[in-house]
Amino acid sequence: MDDEQRIAAGFAAGDEHCMEDVYLRWRPLVHSLARRSLGDDREAEDVTQQVFLAAWRGRGGFRPGPGGLGAWLTGITRHKVADALEARTRRARAATAAARAYEEFAPRPGARTPPAPEPERVLDRVLVLGELARLPSAQQRVIRLAFYGDLTQTQIAARTGLPLGTVKSHMRRALQVLRQSLEARPLPAAR
């Protein structure tokens, strides 16, 4: 058994010393691939850490084959780079939407309008609207009528023809989902 096979076998078995060897041996390759794909050293370093963390957690799925551990790590790197590029795109879209919304609310010269909301509030609004769009349509409708239509639950029941208990259930479930998803989602950092 050569050195690479010994390291791969130890890694798959959960030997932490072999994990250190894997990191030292393949970190330059992983970082280089990430850096070339992302064009940003800091993002490449984050992806490199994610790759080795994912490899360690998923080591039970490693099967020696052509290319060995290096090929397996390269595959994980490709997936993590794709995730990073997708996250970058989401951040850019959110920032663009926030900028558009901010411009929409910016005061016009000579117009008597309330002061424009701060960019952070506009971005919060964009995130809330995005999460709201993920709700089932009945819950979305109840939330929109309550918050944008300024209707009480009784008024919503009368307008939609839904029983009051159903309106209350939709409202409660929707607010729980929104709270959980917004708490779990960090505010995107502008780059």
Side-chain angles (χ1 to χ4, degrees), residues 18-28 45 48 52:
C18 288
M19 176 59 194
E20 184 178 345
D21 291 340
V22 166
Y23 182 79
L24 292 173
R25 180 174 284 193
W26 281 287
R27 183 203 173 281
E45 192 56 44
T48 300
F52 285 100

Side-chain angles (χ1 to χ4, degrees), residues 27 41 77 81-82 91 94 159 170 179 191:
R27 183 203 173 281
D41 219 25
T77 303
V81 164
R91 284 191 307 268
R159 180 173 284 184
H170 284 333
R179 182 178 57 243
R191 290 206 181 210

